[in-house]
């Protein structure tokens, strides 16, 4: 399933920050969105994931295909690793969490409470959550923040495995991801010219 | 030119500017004639004595308290369906006026009932439902203030208005069920004989017209203010962004 | 002044309350209108020059 | 959806606050009433049904902001929104989880606390029945209030201001059932009306709550 984004404009707090963004993401491909902090990477990802309606432009091929992982990876500290994964698996209608545990080397942390994990382990659990959803398109917001070098390598391997399996990944980051073969799209040229907020047009 | 033309804020301000002085003048005339006529030139009621004079403020204010909420309901629906900013801001502008009208209805109801019931507040079903309506007004206004983003605030308050209206009606009947009721029969009802006699009737009409016009004038004025405040925020946002 | 009899207090105070409340809402509305209008004009002038 | 329910229940148990919060508040309120009103049993027994209902209602109100706040902070609400679950389903499950963790314990605790207030004997069953029928409505209405104020910092007070007027019909009919039960009168009318409100609210309000949540997630 090809995810294609045509002439997307997104707003934050009503202010237009990105416009005219277009790209395609075909299976087996990874795309990294680069750009300085605040350029609108997160907002763009949220619009593509359908959490936030874009101001203009279309996102096609995203229906029920997307697994979204934000900064805060939505893990419950009071639940164990398996319970967290089992929950997200059943929410997406699946139940097999073993491959994810293996892929992210979490097998020995199986029964540890998510709250007691280190930042790197938590991030790996967050990514394992993505795998468990069985959704082909991964949307990752700053996936390698607070990860040490080995974890970044582990992350890169997991993404490559996902790509080999026919999945695709859309990532936003301003630090190295360890994914040399990924295509890079710099968002700075798409910065929206300052113009009135859509909701304010009627008043100006 | 369809009615939706007035949804454009700038045009709304221009047309209301032309109309407002007349509305204020009419309000003044109706209120003064109605109240003076009712207060000075109507006889006392044989049963209730002079307290019947309170009718000239209690009935119009009670009427406006309910109609203000209905107007807000319609404005909220228009906002949800057609996304016209003016209707959302008009609803926001009308809320305080409706709340004041409810307060007046409550106070005059209590004053009027005091000699009859012997107490200031007798939890009479109709007065109690006005008390509940007042709480709805407070909640509605508080929600507007609590949210920064204008559009989200308009959306959330409209939904609150819809849900609140259903519960206000529910409360209206629940309160009736809960207390057998001391309120006198309907002052204005279609069947003639139950109605009050003519001598009280005409001044009351003027008072009602006066209160309605006062409401309209206040809502126009306050909506203009909301539009201007919104325009200020928009300009500041554009300045901030440039 | 009509003879209000023993209910004078009730009638007068209800009229009093009404007049007070109405004038409060009217005055508040006018004052706010003037303040917002002035603030807007000030910003519009600044934006123009 | 079942997974969401089991997860919320597990969280409520593990976090410990879930069950205890509503119950302890209900106990405290019921204990305070005699201090305020005086120990005369015939007075207490007259107001007991109403006090139990108001106590249960306030206990429900207190634990409402926890419904969405936890998921809102750690981002799982966003993730849930991208999941295949319908938002109305998520909201209903959240309301059900709140009812199980807070509403149900109140229903079970009410007779015990009735003893403290020397509740008349015939009233016990009616207090339990009215609470059992009424508390689901309190949870669903409460979820609507929680959804409205989820994005607002320190929205707890505002939520109470918004939710309490919505509680009035349920409170009136619920307390009426309990009061009539105490005096041995027929309770059929208020009970049916109470049930009517509860079912109506359970059926319709989740749509409004879902719409509100979508707006807040924007």
């Amino acid at each position: 399933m090809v995810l294609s984004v045509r002439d997307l404009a997104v707003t934050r707090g009503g202010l237009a920050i990105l416009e005219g963004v277009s790209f395609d993401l075909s299976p087996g491909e990874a795309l990294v969105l680069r750009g300085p902090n605040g350029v609108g990477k997160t907002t763009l990802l949220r619009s593509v994931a359908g959490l936030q309606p874009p101001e203009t432009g279309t996102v096609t091929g995203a229906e029920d295909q997307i697994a979204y992982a934000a900064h805060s990876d939505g893990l419950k500290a009071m639940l164990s690793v398996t319970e967290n994964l089992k929950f997200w698996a059943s929410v997406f209608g699946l139940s097999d969490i073993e491959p994810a545990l293996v892929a992210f080397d979490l097998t020995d942390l199986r029964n540890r409470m998510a709250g007691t994990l280190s930042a790197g382990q938590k991030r790996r659990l967050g990514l394992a959550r993505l795998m468990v959803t069985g959704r082909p398109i991964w949307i990752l917001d700053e996936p390698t923040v607070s990860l040490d070098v080995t974890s970044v390598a582990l992350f890169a391997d997991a993404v490559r495995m996902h790509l080999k399996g026919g999945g695709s990944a859309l990532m936003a980051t301003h630090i190295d991801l360890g994914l040399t073969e990924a295509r890079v799209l710099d968002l700075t040229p798409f910065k929206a010219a300052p113009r009135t907020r859509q909701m304010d047009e009627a008043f100006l | 030119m369809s009615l939706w033309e007035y949804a454009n804020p700038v045009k709304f301000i221009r047309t209301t500017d032309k109309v407002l002085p007349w509305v204020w003048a009419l309000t003044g005339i109706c209120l003064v004639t109605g109240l003076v006529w009712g207060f000075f030139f109507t006889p006392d009621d044989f049963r209730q004595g002079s307290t019947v004079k309170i009718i000239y403020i209690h009935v119009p204010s009670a009427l406006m308290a309910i109609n203000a909420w209905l107007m807000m309901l319609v404005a909220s629906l228009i906002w949800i369906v057609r996304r016209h900013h003016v209707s959302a801001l008009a609803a926001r502008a009308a809320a305080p006026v409706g709340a004041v009208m409810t307060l007046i209805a409550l106070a005059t109801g209590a004053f009027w009932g005091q000699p009859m019931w012997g107490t200031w507040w007798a939890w009479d079903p109709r007065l109690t439902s006005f008390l509940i309506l007042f709480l709805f007004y407070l909640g509605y206004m508080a929600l507007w203030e609590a949210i920064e983003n204008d559009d989200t605030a308009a959306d959330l308050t409209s939904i609150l208005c819809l849900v609140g209206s259903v519960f206000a009606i529910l409360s209206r009947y629940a309160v009736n069920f809960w207390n057998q009721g001391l309120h006198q029969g309907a002052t204005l009802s279609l069947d003639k004989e139950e109605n009050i006699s003519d001598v009280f009737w005409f001044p009351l009409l003027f008072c009602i017209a006066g209160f309605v016009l006062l409401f309209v004038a206040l809502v126009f004025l306050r909506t203009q203010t909301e539009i201007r405040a919104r325009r200020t925020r928009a300009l500041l946002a554009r300045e901030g962004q440039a | 002044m009509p003879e209000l009899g023993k209910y004078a207090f009730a009638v007068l105070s209800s009229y009093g309350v009404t007049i007070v409340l109405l004038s409060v809402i009217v005055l508040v509305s006018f004052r706010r209108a003037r303040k917002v209008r002035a603030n807007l004009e000030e910003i519009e002038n600044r934006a123009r020059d | 959806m079942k997974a969401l329910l089991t997860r919320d229940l597990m969280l409520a148990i593990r976090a410990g606050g879930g069950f205890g919060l509503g119950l302890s508040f209900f106990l405290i309120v019921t204990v305070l009433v005699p201090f305020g009103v005086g120990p005369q049993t015939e007075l207490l027994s007259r107001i007991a049904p109403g006090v139990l209902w108001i106590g249960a209602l306030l206990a429900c109100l207190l634990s409402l902001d926890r419904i969405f706040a936890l998921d809102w902070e750690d981002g799982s609400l966003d993730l849930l929104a991208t999941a295949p679950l319908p938002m109305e389903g998520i909201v209903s499950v959240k309301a059900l989880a709140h009812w199980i963790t807070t509403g149900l314990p109140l229903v079970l605790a009410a007779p015990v606390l009735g003893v403290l207030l020397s509740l008349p004997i015939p009233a016990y069953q009616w207090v339990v029945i009215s609470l059992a029928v009424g508390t689901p409505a309190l949870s669903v209405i409460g979820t609507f209030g929680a959804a409205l104020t989820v994005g607002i910092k320190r929205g707890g007070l505002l939520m109470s201001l918004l939710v309490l007027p919505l509680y009035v019909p349920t409170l009136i009919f619920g307390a009426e059932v309990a009061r009539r039960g105490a005096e041995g009168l027929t309770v059929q009318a208020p009970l049916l009306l109470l049930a009517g409100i509860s079912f109506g609210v359970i059926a319709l309000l989740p749509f409004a709550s879902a719409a509100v949540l979508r707006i807040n997630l924007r």
Side-chain angles (χ1 to χ4, degrees):
Chain A
M1 261 302 280
V2 175
L3 170 75
S4 64
V5 170
R6 284 292 165 274
D7 187 18
L8 203 68
V10 285
T11 63
R12 181 175 47 218
L15 286 171
I17 45 175
L18 279 176
E19 60 186 356
V21 179
S22 299
F23 60 82
D24 283 342
L25 187 63
S26 36
E29 204 190 2
L31 177 64
V32 178
L33 302 176
R34 281 222 184 289
N37 256 342
V39 75
K41 298 193 292 293
T42 306
T43 320
L44 181 66
L45 288 186
R46 282 176 69 92
S47 301
V48 171
L51 279 173
Q52 190 180 324
E55 198 163 326
T56 57
T58 59
V59 176
T60 47
E63 281 320 312
D64 291 339
Q65 301 299 319
I66 287 189
Y68 173 74
H71 290 300
S72 55
D73 35 38
L75 298 172
K76 288 296 176 188
M78 301 303 289
L79 292 179
S80 75
V81 169
T82 38
E83 280 161 352
N84 266 307
L85 288 181
K86 269 216 168 32
F87 165 66
W88 284 107
S90 54
V91 161
F92 283 82
L94 298 165
S95 58
D96 173 17
I97 61 171
E98 272 320 306
L101 285 173
V102 168
F104 284 89
D105 176 19
L106 294 166
T107 37
D108 44 19
L109 303 168
R110 189 184 296 275
N111 295 322
R112 279 267 297 279
M113 283 298 157
T116 58
L117 297 176
S118 73
Q121 288 162 338
K122 265 197 195 133
R123 181 59 57 170
R124 291 206 326 257
L125 180 55
L127 296 172
R129 185 189 70 75
L130 273 180
M131 192 170 184
V132 152
T133 60
R135 287 286 181 85
I137 302 175
W138 284 5
I139 295 192
L140 307 155
D141 200 349
E142 305 289 353
T144 53
V145 152
S146 74
L147 282 190
D148 54 33
V149 177
T150 48
S151 306
V152 169
L154 200 69
F155 163 77
D157 299 341
V159 172
R160 277 193 201 91
M161 199 173 63
H162 175 65
L163 297 182
K164 261 203 281 322
S168 52
L170 177 65
M171 289 161 279
T173 184
H174 59 282
I175 51 174
D176 166 42
L177 278 180
L179 268 170
T180 47
E181 74 278 16
R183 229 169 10 112
V184 175
L185 174 67
D186 191 347
L187 290 180
T188 4
F190 299 102
K191 195 162 176 16
R195 53 181 164 77
T196 56
R197 308 189 298 187
Q198 196 213 357
M199 63 181 184
D200 292 342
E201 266 144 20
F203 293 95
L204 294 175
Chain B
M1 185 173 71
S2 74
L3 182 65
W4 300 126
E5 267 308 299
Y6 291 104
N8 171 325
V10 179
K11 181 181 276 294
F12 175 85
I13 289 187
R14 213 176 309 120
T15 25
T16 39
D17 271 345
K18 284 206 287 292
V19 168
L20 253 177
W22 297 104
V23 177
W24 279 115
L26 261 175
T27 314
I29 296 166
C30 291
L31 270 185
V32 169
T33 42
L35 289 178
V36 166
W37 183 355
F39 190 79
F40 293 100
F41 302 109
T42 53
D44 286 358
D45 181 72
F46 57 92
R47 260 183 312 111
Q48 297 181 358
S50 61
T51 54
V52 80
K53 295 191 187 309
I54 300 178
I55 202 173
Y56 295 113
I57 31 176
H58 180 64
V59 170
S61 57
L63 217 60
M64 273 331 293
I66 295 174
N67 290 338
W69 185 271
L70 287 180
M71 171 261 175
M72 285 156 56
L73 181 62
V74 169
S76 302
L77 281 172
I78 293 174
W79 163 255
I80 289 176
V81 171
R82 307 228 14 162
R83 309 296 284 182
H84 284 310
H85 295 284
V86 170
S87 63
L89 293 178
R92 178 176 192 171
V97 185
V100 164
M101 291 292 181
T102 322
L103 263 183
I104 295 173
L106 279 171
T108 49
F111 282 128
W112 193 354
Q114 194 270 339
M116 280 346 126
W117 303 332
T119 61
W120 284 106
W121 182 258
W123 288 103
D124 157 71
R126 264 188 230 182
L127 276 188
T128 317
S129 50
F130 276 104
L131 191 58
I132 297 169
L133 185 62
F134 185 65
L135 295 178
F136 278 111
Y137 274 117
L138 287 188
Y140 182 84
M141 290 189 279
L143 190 58
W144 263 107
E145 303 305 324
I147 302 168
E148 299 81 25
N149 180 320
D150 287 301
D151 268 11
T152 334
D155 287 332
L156 294 182
T157 46
S158 325
I159 294 180
L160 176 68
C161 191
L162 294 183
V163 172
S165 310
V166 172
F167 279 91
I169 294 166
L170 268 179
S171 311
R172 175 72 189 80
Y173 291 105
V175 164
N176 238 349
F177 185 93
W178 159 78
N179 183 341
Q180 76 298 1
L182 300 161
H183 205 273
Q184 69 178 41
T187 311
L188 302 172
S189 67
L190 299 178
D191 40 38
K192 205 59 190 129
E193 81 294 339
E194 207 243 343
N195 226 321
I196 55 169
S197 56
D198 287 355
V199 71
F200 296 107
W201 170 258
F202 291 117
L204 188 56
L205 275 191
F206 271 93
C207 287
I208 291 175
F211 269 71
V212 170
L213 286 166
L214 176 67
F215 173 75
V216 169
L218 277 173
V219 168
F220 276 175
L221 175 71
R222 293 182 66 86
T223 311
Q224 281 189 359
T225 318
E226 294 294 340
I227 291 174
R228 289 202 175 86
R230 188 62 190 279
R231 189 173 152 71
T232 320
R233 283 196 292 275
L235 287 172
L236 287 176
R238 191 167 61 177
E239 248 172 46
Q241 192 192 5
Chain C
M1 251 315 261
E3 175 39 47
L4 295 173
K6 55 185 168 47
Y7 301 129
F9 175 74
V11 174
L12 291 178
S13 37
S14 53
Y15 271 77
V17 161
T18 310
I19 290 160
V20 163
L21 282 175
L22 287 185
S23 29
V24 161
I25 185 77
V26 168
L27 287 179
V28 163
S29 305
F30 268 108
R31 211 155 43 83
R32 182 161 179 262
R34 210 173 303 116
K35 189 161 66 69
V36 166
R37 187 189 280 247
N39 185 1
L40 179 61
E41 251 123 40
E42 182 249 331
I43 289 177
E44 272 169 346
N45 302 344
R46 193 173 60 195
R48 203 166 300 118
D49 49 33
Chain D
M1 295 254 249
K2 197 167 56 57
L4 184 60
L5 182 63
T6 40
R7 182 197 73 155
D8 275 2
L9 294 181
M10 258 198 288
L11 276 175
I13 299 164
R14 289 253 175 86
F19 281 90
L21 188 71
L23 268 181
S24 40
F25 178 82
F26 190 27
L27 174 66
I28 295 161
V29 167
T30 318
V31 166
L32 286 180
V33 165
F35 294 142
V37 170
Q40 297 82 5
T41 47
E42 82 287 345
L43 174 65
L44 280 180
S45 63
R46 227 152 43 86
I47 60 169
V51 164
L52 288 175
W53 250 93
I54 291 168
L57 184 137
L58 293 177
C60 264
L61 189 66
L62 252 177
S63 52
L64 284 181
D65 52 8
R66 289 160 46 93
I67 293 180
F68 290 119
L70 304 174
D71 286 340
W72 174 267
E73 275 135 25
D74 67 20
S76 25
L77 213 52
D78 286 343
L79 308 184
L80 277 173
T82 51
L85 300 174
M87 191 58 94
E88 287 77 7
I90 294 172
V91 166
S92 312
V93 162
K94 285 284 180 186
L96 181 59
H98 175 265
W99 184 67
I100 293 174
T101 51
T102 317
L104 208 51
L106 296 180
V107 174
L108 303 178
V112 174
L113 297 177
V115 173
L116 285 179
L117 300 173
S118 59
L119 187 69
I121 303 307
Y124 277 86
Q125 51 165 346
W126 292 113
V127 165
V128 170
I129 290 170
S130 61
L131 278 174
V133 172
T135 43
L138 298 184
S139 290
V140 173
I141 298 171
T143 310
F144 173 69
L148 265 176
T149 55
V150 70
I152 301 164
K153 292 177 294 305
R154 289 181 309 286
L157 196 59
L158 174 66
M159 183 178 61
S160 320
L161 178 63
L162 297 179
V163 166
L164 280 176
L166 302 179
Y167 275 173
V168 163
T170 308
L171 173 62
I172 287 178
F173 288 124
E176 188 67 15
V177 168
R179 214 181 0 269
R180 289 197 186 178
E183 288 142 18
L185 305 168
T186 57
V187 291
Q188 211 226 350
L191 189 59
L192 286 178
L193 288 166
L194 180 69
I197 292 177
S198 289
F199 291 129
V201 154
I202 290 168
L204 296 175
L205 211 51
F207 293 98
S209 311
V212 161
L213 217 51
R214 274 191 211 96
I215 291 166
N216 271 326
L217 281 173
R218 243 199 336 245

